[in-house]
Amino acid sequence: MLDSPYTLEDPERLLVDLNAAQRRAVTHAGPALLVVAGAGTGKTRVLTRRVAWLIAQGIEPWRVLAITFTNKAADEMRRRLEALPGGSQVWAGTFHRFGSYLLRRHGDEIGIDTGFTILDRDDQISVVKSIYRDRGLETSDLRPVDALSMISHRKNGGGGRTPVDLTHPGAAATFDTVAEEYARRLRTAQLLDFDDLLLEALRLLQESEAVATQVRERFAHVLVDEYQDTNVVQRDILMNLLGPDAGITVVGDPDQSIYRWRGAAVRNILDFDQDFPETETVLLERNYRSTARILAAAEAVIAVNRERHEKRLYTEAGDGAAVRVIRARNGEDEARIAAHLAATWQREGRRLDHIAVFYRVNAMSRGVEMALSQAGLPYVVVAGTEFFQRREVKDALAYARLVANPKDEAAFLRIVNTPRRGVGAASLQKLRVLADARGIALAEAACSARESGMSKRAVAGVERLLALLDRVRAMPRAPVAPILDVLLTGSGYYATLEDSDDILDRSRLENVRELVAYAREFEKREPEGDLATFLERAALVSDQDGYDGESGRVTLMSVHSAKGLEFPCVLIVGAEMNHFPHGRNLGDPASEEEERRLFYVAMTRAREELVITHAARRQTYMGDEPRVASPYLNVIPEHVLAREDHAAWGAPVEWGAGAGELPPPSSYGEDIVRETGSSLAPGMRVQHPYFGPGLLESLGGDGSDERVTIDFDTHGRKQILLRHARLERLS
DNA sequence: ACGTGGTCCTTTTTT
DNA sequence: AGGACCACGT
């Protein structure tokens, strides 16, 4: 690009298109800088420019560490910095990748074998479940996933409340056993879970003076993006990373902290100036992304939160279109409306990849996907990890993991009998006994299968597998794709899928082949990369990594995955009480605030068009249920909204493939509320947006003072001012 | 050892 | 409505 600002010839060029606050951030010279950057204020740009600025000031690129929230963001930053001499030597990546990087090089200093493999969530669950089986634990005392979240909670510094209630008899004892055995198994199998990557990296910096010194001497400046979503372990890593002359820059927005549930501590950003002395704070408040109406709507929602530090976003963009709130009859209609809107936008000349649909839970993508297909609109679901979590892909990777780490228990359990080798539960039980007796990893004990007392057939099966693995390990410095090919062919994995007449196996085969293709691509992209690196990349993909902004398709994703992105047109579906905010997060003020921040994140992704939909009824696993609009929709000032009700008029409406207009909406809001109010009578079952269902006992007052008494199922008897409450009648 | 069918349970978000 | 788990039969 001709006018790229990324040049060292004239560092001032790095600043020309920045506003005053952004410039202050980019050029700051002190030891610690906190950039509080509201949504759409250009923080990514500031961060990248700052790296370039530091390099222009004479810091060697390889002495810069940039921690991003996704690999995608790291790639993006590297791409921009490439224009600078040495720019590609900046270390850019996620915290987990940095942890892995340190441990791969220096782990042995603290007793971690550098040939470790990484355990993902599915693997974690399978390890825990196998502990339950081997130790005779009861899942009714404590669910394996709950044991796991407690283990994780404990490891990452335990922000927030304890995720699981251990007062249930047997739960505490079960947890202790699981936690202890889990740690032991990971250690003997040279496995690190996601939390370990951070925790052990921290321990490395704390316990090895040599490594700490080396790292501190290397990095002259550390930059961290999305600081509001870091946890205390990550903060401690930073504190241990900085040499006396090193600088640190963090960028974030407390209002966009959405990962408390996995240990993120908003306190990190709020207390940054106490953790790092001589901090200067720069506030970015000018929003370059959204129209004034969208911004006003979003601000109204976030303003309800009490735990925040005030900041005021402003935009010089025009008012823009009204934020549309659409009430649909049910979930299917809602999805059809979403597809219809996308089709309309497209007809108006919008690119499909400028349109995004966000949902609170991934399960909601299904309905939207169906509606889009029926409308003939191409779409893409952004869930990068999804591919790597498929059974067949995990199987293939498990083979590779065993090659890299012969002790990898999770990988071993996964494929020891896939395809069938006659090694069932009974055989594995015997192997476990042997492994425990010798204090070695399960997969290691497999080498002594003969001595375990397994059946002849099982021993033969295990030995066939071991021979294959040995053969591959003997391939000297082979690239990854051939390794995978030999494994999948030699094991009979390909053959099994090819010979199957199950339709699903067709696509499984394709997925496995796609993985091999991915491996080839990896080799091209990172010629230096070995098998361990490949496996690390595969283990640490993030959902956004696969996102292509120019796919030409409508983009579907969870709100969490949408973090950091922006789209001209945004649709938020499922804006209903108990769904968004999610029912599980109601009742605890801190969780409720996080839900609201999540909604705020969703809204602030939009540049020009924001449409929020909800359904009057929805099919849930409990059956067809009446739904109440999200309370968030009640705090948005009406003058920025356009409410449309497609549920009020009886008959279902067919919206064909982008044909025609939506049926004339009835307006709702004030009118409907009063209408509903006057039709209320004692004895009715009603639904309140905050208090849920209840029995209407009496009506009183008049005019604007009209009030009702309701005995709520879960909140007891309350008097409610009718003009404040959006009551709905339940059948 | 392994496939089948029935039952129960569950439903958030992800590196 | 879908998946995970168990019991049973081969």
Side-chain angles (χ1 to χ4, degrees):
Chain A
M1 231 197 287
L2 199 66
D3 53 354
S4 163
Y6 292 95
T7 163
L8 297 188
E9 278 162 32
D10 178 11
E12 292 298 316
R13 281 222 355 233
L14 290 167
L15 310 175
V16 285
D17 53 350
L18 302 181
N19 66 34
Q22 290 174 326
R23 282 181 197 199
R24 239 181 303 131
V26 168
T27 59
H28 177 256
L33 172 66
L34 165 64
V35 182
V36 176
T41 55
K43 80 182 162 65
T44 307
R45 168 183 282 200
V46 164
L47 204 61
T48 313
R49 293 290 170 87
R50 179 151 173 78
V51 173
W53 180 262
L54 292 169
I55 293 172
Q57 299 308 107
I59 293 184
E60 295 97 320
W62 55 272
R63 300 191 65 205
V64 176
L65 174 63
I67 305 278
T68 55
F69 199 70
T70 62
N71 304 306
K72 175 100 181 155
D75 292 343
E76 188 66 15
M77 180 184 286
R78 251 193 310 267
R79 210 176 51 77
R80 293 195 193 283
L81 294 173
E82 250 168 30
L84 302 179
S88 52
Q89 294 165 17
V90 169
W91 201 102
T94 64
F95 255 117
H96 287 89
R97 212 148 122 183
F98 181 65
S100 180
Y101 170 85
L102 284 187
L103 293 167
R104 201 65 82 185
R105 271 155 199 78
H106 310 293
D108 46 2
E109 298 272 328
I110 53 166
I112 289 175
D113 193 301
T114 54
F116 66 85
T117 37
I118 300 169
L119 211 61
D120 72 16
R121 194 180 150 75
D122 285 348
D123 300 324
Q124 289 182 292
I125 291 173
S126 74
V127 169
V128 169
K129 281 186 178 166
S130 118
I131 292 171
Y132 271 72
R133 274 193 298 276
D134 295 341
R135 293 297 194 94
L137 302 174
E138 292 298 330
T139 55
S140 52
D141 287 334
L142 178 69
R143 287 156 60 212
V145 288
D146 289 335
L148 211 45
S149 49
M150 291 209 48
I151 290 172
S152 174
H153 183 258
R154 191 198 258 185
K155 280 191 194 175
N156 62 35
R161 61 189 167 165
T162 310
V164 183
D165 174 23
L166 283 185
T167 53
H168 174 75
T174 304
F175 174 69
D176 290 340
T177 310
V178 173
E180 193 200 329
E181 179 73 8
Y182 177 82
R184 198 180 64 80
R185 287 197 185 182
L186 262 56
R187 210 178 318 116
T188 55
Q190 293 174 186
L191 289 165
L192 298 181
D193 64 23
F194 291 140
D195 300 324
D196 292 332
L197 292 177
L198 305 174
L199 208 51
E200 297 292 0
L202 174 59
R203 193 163 69 86
L204 177 63
L205 292 170
Q206 286 171 334
E207 292 180 9
S208 166
E209 199 48 49
V211 174
T213 306
Q214 191 186 332
V215 171
R216 282 179 204 141
E217 281 175 359
R218 167 168 171 188
F219 293 114
H221 205 101
V222 181
L223 304 97
V224 186
D225 196 4
E226 307 282 8
Y227 193 66
Q228 77 282 357
D229 278 321
T230 54
N231 65 29
V232 296
V233 179
Q234 291 166 331
R235 179 204 60 192
D236 290 348
I237 288 176
L238 292 174
M239 293 172 94
N240 280 276
L241 201 58
L242 292 181
D245 300 322
I248 181 168
T249 299
V250 305
V251 183
D253 177 7
D255 284 340
Q256 295 182 66
S257 172
I258 55 175
Y259 283 101
R260 196 185 76 105
W261 53 273
R262 77 173 195 204
V266 201
R267 287 247 68 85
N268 279 1
I269 191 165
L270 300 177
D271 295 344
F272 180 80
D273 55 353
Q274 285 149 53
D275 294 336
F276 297 89
E278 295 177 64
T279 290
E280 184 166 340
T281 303
V282 173
L283 240 61
L284 301 186
E285 294 181 298
R286 169 150 181 207
N287 175 295
Y288 291 94
R289 180 182 295 155
S290 310
T291 65
R293 282 202 173 98
I294 291 171
L295 211 54
E299 290 268 292
V301 169
I302 199 68
V304 176
N305 273 6
R306 304 184 58 87
E307 280 284 321
R308 62 189 295 251
H309 88 111
E310 275 301 318
K311 88 182 146 330
R312 187 103 216 135
L313 289 185
Y314 66 98
T315 176
E316 286 173 19
D319 286 350
V323 174
R324 295 168 73 180
V325 171
I326 301 181
R327 179 166 178 257
R329 273 175 77 245
N330 52 41
E332 291 92 78
D333 277 5
E334 180 191 44
R336 271 197 292 260
I337 289 173
H340 177 91
L341 286 169
T344 308
W345 279 327
Q346 186 187 34
R347 218 174 319 115
E348 290 169 2
R350 302 251 186 207
R351 299 165 49 120
L352 287 180
D353 52 28
H354 282 183
I355 302 169
V357 183
F358 299 151
Y359 32 78
R360 176 65 180 82
V361 306
N362 289 113
M364 271 202 64
S365 76
R366 187 177 267 278
V368 180
E369 287 183 66
M370 278 168 47
L372 288 169
S373 322
Q374 274 164 21
L377 293 167
Y379 64 86
V380 55
V381 180
V382 176
T385 56
E386 205 177 57
F387 175 75
F388 291 93
Q389 279 166 6
R390 290 175 196 277
R391 196 178 71 192
E392 60 277 19
V393 174
K394 295 214 64 174
D395 287 346
L397 288 171
Y399 275 100
R401 268 167 56 180
L402 267 178
V403 169
N405 172 12
K407 298 179 184 172
D408 190 328
E409 169 170 332
F412 178 78
L413 282 174
R414 189 164 189 101
I415 49 90
V416 63
N417 205 30
T418 312
R420 308 259 171 254
R421 291 187 185 88
V423 188
S427 300
L428 287 174
Q429 188 61 46
K430 294 194 173 101
L431 210 55
R432 173 75 64 194
V433 171
L434 182 73
D436 285 351
R438 297 192 182 173
I440 56 176
L442 183 76
E444 248 179 317
C447 302
S448 314
R450 275 169 202 285
E451 296 151 50
S452 69
M454 283 195 271
S455 72
K456 242 181 176 167
R457 191 157 61 125
V459 171
V462 168
E463 288 184 341
R464 252 193 344 269
L465 172 63
L466 292 176
L468 172 66
L469 294 171
D470 281 339
R471 202 169 94 217
V472 175
R473 288 189 196 113
M475 293 164 66
R477 299 171 39 84
V480 181
I483 290 181
L484 284 174
D485 261 327
V486 172
L487 287 168
L488 293 165
T489 310
S491 63
Y493 199 94
Y494 274 145
T496 315
L497 288 181
E498 278 161 3
D499 298 343
S500 161
D501 39 0
D502 186 342
I503 289 212
L504 291 176
D505 284 338
R506 284 253 153 268
S507 69
R508 293 205 177 103
L509 189 60
E510 269 166 40
N511 287 329
V512 176
R513 295 218 162 104
E514 197 177 324
L515 178 71
V516 178
Y518 176 84
R520 257 186 224 110
E521 212 177 287
F522 164 81
E523 281 149 21
K524 240 184 285 166
R525 207 178 47 235
E526 299 182 52
E528 302 291 293
D530 57 356
L531 183 61
T533 316
F534 173 77
L535 290 171
E536 181 202 281
R537 297 286 185 275
L540 299 182
V541 284
S542 50
D543 271 345
Q544 251 184 48
D545 291 347
Y547 168 64
D548 169 12
E550 307 197 336
S551 64
R553 297 153 181 266
V554 179
T555 306
L556 278 56
M557 63 181 108
S558 73
V559 181
H560 280 90
S561 301
K563 174 178 169 136
L565 302 177
E566 62 173 41
F567 295 87
C569 304
V570 165
L571 266 150
I572 304 171
V573 297
E576 289 149 32
M577 190 63 185
N578 284 321
H579 179 79
F580 205 167
H582 198 276
R584 279 186 75 133
N585 286 339
L586 293 173
D588 168 49
S591 301
E592 287 186 13
E593 295 218 341
E594 177 145 306
E595 285 289 314
R596 201 173 288 102
R597 290 195 293 268
L598 190 60
F599 200 76
Y600 175 73
V601 167
M603 296 175 84
T604 52
R605 299 309 94 196
R607 298 184 69 96
E608 297 162 28
E609 302 276 353
L610 174 60
V611 181
I612 305 167
T613 65
H614 64 278
R617 307 188 68 81
R618 192 183 290 279
Q619 200 66 242
T620 72
Y621 71 99
M622 316 225 352
D624 183 49
E625 287 196 314
R627 311 285 296 178
V628 174
S630 170
Y632 305 147
L633 304 181
N634 300 336
V635 300
I636 303 174
E638 291 295 330
H639 68 270
V640 304
L641 284 185
R643 294 185 188 262
E644 301 163 35
D645 190 346
H646 294 285
W649 313 120
V653 192
E654 291 300 324
W655 292 295
E661 287 305 305
L662 284 177
S666 69
S667 71
Y668 80 106
E670 280 296 302
D671 297 345
I672 296 275
V673 171
R674 215 167 298 128
E675 217 172 83
T676 318
S678 61
S679 68
L680 292 173
M684 269 177 186
R685 297 277 302 159
V686 292
Q687 174 89 19
H688 183 276
Y690 286 99
F691 302 123
L695 181 71
L696 199 163
E697 294 192 324
S698 63
L699 293 150
D702 59 298
S704 66
D705 192 39
E706 209 176 358
R707 60 184 73 221
V708 291
T709 309
I710 301 172
D711 188 12
F712 289 104
D713 297 356
T714 48
H715 290 80
R717 183 167 296 121
K718 287 189 194 308
Q719 276 223 343
I720 308 267
L721 259 184
L722 211 48
R723 90 190 128 94
H724 286 323
R726 195 168 298 251
L727 284 181
E728 277 211 36
R729 187 181 168 178
L730 298 178
S731 50

